[in-house]
Amino acid sequence: MIEPQPMDNETVFSWVTRYHLRVGAGAEKNTYQALFNKEKVRVNAYLPNALNFLDSRGKLSAKQWLNDHTLYPLFKFFGHDAKGKLSNAMLTDAGSAISHAHIPHSKLSFLYGHKICPVCAQDSRNKLGFAYYDIRLQIPGVAACPEHGCYLHYTRCGDYALDWHLTLPRGLQSQSSGQPIEVQFARFCFDVLALSKTHNPTGSLIPIYRQVLSEKGFITRHQHIRMQFLVLALTQFYQDFPFEKGWELASDFHFLGALLRGKSQTVCHPAKHLLFAFWLFEGDASRYCLIPTQETDEQAKSKKVDKDESNVIALLK
């Protein structure tokens, strides 16, 4: 039989499952063997490994699978693949993509599962005859569909962010409407993911954040962040946002120090960037393309250090 064609934004897990249901011979291990050359594979919802085995499958290259059907572009956009370890793990199955994406260190514990919108699923069944998982809905922290405004369904997975079985959702019931701010946040996350596939930041995102913070009056004339007022503004903005299902440790916004100062070189989880940037950019993802016009205090200090070192070297000559 002909392999199923991947749908736009379909997750790797979803396509592998549809392959199994359409082409696979009996047991799941046979499908895994045919696709990945081994009988057991754990297909993560958004950072799957071993994508080189899918090269030419579904008429896509391994790089196309990586960039169009996983959340790799989003993690790369926020600095999680500076040394190429994440992409290498996802393509070659060398190491853990979860670890290289720094997820265990994020202190965020989102409910892990394959998420789907019940309305999108029903529309897909009516038009195509099947439902599939959309990679955009798998963004950590997204709990509502920006198209239909309803809460998502989870197919829960065990073994910490990993799943063995190939199954698609059935008999979904429409859920209650999400909070307006959750729906708007989901739309912003969709937009940032789309941007991450075409826009590659030339350096740290901190100068962009500081530029907009300065425009909003949260930077002093000595280039210090008015952190107390910033936390207060975010707390007021997110007063109706349900900080649950993994968000609990982010609700006090203590992560802002690491995200904005950059002194510890800490790589922050994409969800923290998205939570902050949604407020900062007022839902406009295109502001990530801003070219900063001001010099940050970190850049000024760096230049001063370089100048001092040059002076010392000149004196020693």
Side-chain angles (χ1 to χ4, degrees):
M1 294 183 66
I2 300 175
E3 292 181 355
Q5 186 69 20
M7 305 300 297
D8 289 344
N9 299 305
E10 184 174 15
T11 69
V12 174
F13 173 86
S14 179
W15 182 84
V16 170
T17 301
R18 290 202 298 115
Y19 176 97
H20 172 71
L21 296 175
R22 182 174 179 179
V23 182
E28 292 171 345
K29 66 179 183 180
N30 296 333
T31 296
Y32 287 135
Q33 184 67 47
L35 293 178
F36 298 100
N37 201 33
K38 51 186 176 181
E39 293 186 354
K40 275 194 174 184
V41 177
R42 293 173 165 180
V43 184
N44 185 274
Y46 53 86
L47 294 176
N49 289 36
L51 295 179
N52 276 343
F53 284 104
L54 296 183
D55 190 54
S56 77
R57 293 286 188 177
K59 299 180 181 179
L60 298 180
S61 68
K63 288 292 182 67
Q64 286 176 305
W65 281 110
L66 180 71
N67 291 315
D68 298 334
H69 298 275
T70 78
L71 291 187
Y72 169 75
L74 188 70
F75 278 81
K76 179 185 178 183
F77 186 83
F78 290 119
H80 291 266
D81 197 34
K83 298 181 179 180
K85 292 183 179 180
L86 177 58
S87 56
N88 185 59
M90 294 181 68
L91 289 170
T92 67
D93 201 18
S96 169
I98 298 299
S99 295
H100 290 309
H102 310 98
I103 291 177
H105 303 290
S106 69
K107 297 183 179 179
L108 297 177
S109 55
F110 295 111
L111 177 65
Y112 180 76
H114 301 272
K115 297 182 287 185
I116 196 167
C117 167
V119 182
C120 290
Q122 189 58 53
D123 288 347
S124 179
R125 284 199 190 93
N126 293 339
K127 296 176 182 178
L128 305 172
F130 60 86
Y132 63 93
Y133 291 109
D134 189 318
I135 190 60
R136 298 171 298 178
L137 295 176
Q138 313 312 314
I139 298 174
V142 168
C145 174
E147 300 296 333
H148 301 106
C150 61
Y151 281 118
L152 306 177
H153 276 271
Y154 286 82
T155 300
R156 297 194 61 151
C157 304
D159 213 359
Y160 184 60
L162 300 169
D163 187 34
W164 290 110
H165 300 293
L166 299 175
T167 180
L168 290 175
R170 297 180 180 179
L172 296 178
Q173 300 294 321
S174 295
Q175 293 197 1
S176 57
S177 298
Q179 295 284 347
I181 192 171
E182 290 180 288
V183 177
Q184 295 161 12
F185 175 71
R187 167 53 61 192
F188 176 72
C189 292
F190 273 38
D191 292 344
V192 176
L193 175 59
L195 179 68
S196 72
K197 295 179 180 182
T198 59
H199 179 70
N200 186 25
T202 56
S204 171
L205 296 172
I206 293 176
I208 297 176
Y209 290 153
R210 291 182 64 94
Q211 174 73 31
V212 183
L213 283 172
S214 180
E215 294 170 5
K216 291 178 175 288
F218 288 98
I219 303 290
T220 70
R221 62 190 179 91
H222 296 296
Q223 297 301 304
H224 299 304
I225 298 173
R226 304 181 193 273
M227 190 61 72
Q228 183 177 354
F229 294 103
L230 178 58
V231 171
L232 178 61
L234 282 161
T235 300
Q236 292 175 342
F237 178 79
Y238 281 109
Q239 60 184 339
D240 295 326
F241 191 88
F243 283 101
E244 55 188 21
K245 299 178 180 178
W247 278 117
E248 294 87 349
L249 293 179
S251 62
D252 55 14
F253 302 104
H254 285 174
F255 64 84
L256 289 176
L259 190 148
L260 292 173
R261 294 193 178 106
K263 294 179 180 179
S264 63
Q265 302 300 313
T266 301
V267 181
C268 290
H269 193 287
K272 296 178 180 179
H273 283 273
L274 293 169
L275 190 70
F276 172 66
F278 175 57
W279 165 81
L280 182 67
F281 299 153
E282 299 177 7
D284 182 4
S286 68
R287 299 219 67 183
Y288 269 122
C289 299
L290 175 72
I291 299 176
T293 58
Q294 73 173 27
E295 185 178 71
T296 68
D297 54 341
E298 285 87 355
Q299 290 172 318
K301 289 177 181 178
S302 176
K303 287 184 177 180
K304 183 178 184 302
V305 170
D306 291 341
K307 183 178 180 181
D308 290 344
E309 288 179 350
S310 298
N311 291 339
V312 171
I313 292 172
L315 288 172
L316 293 174
K317 288 183 178 180

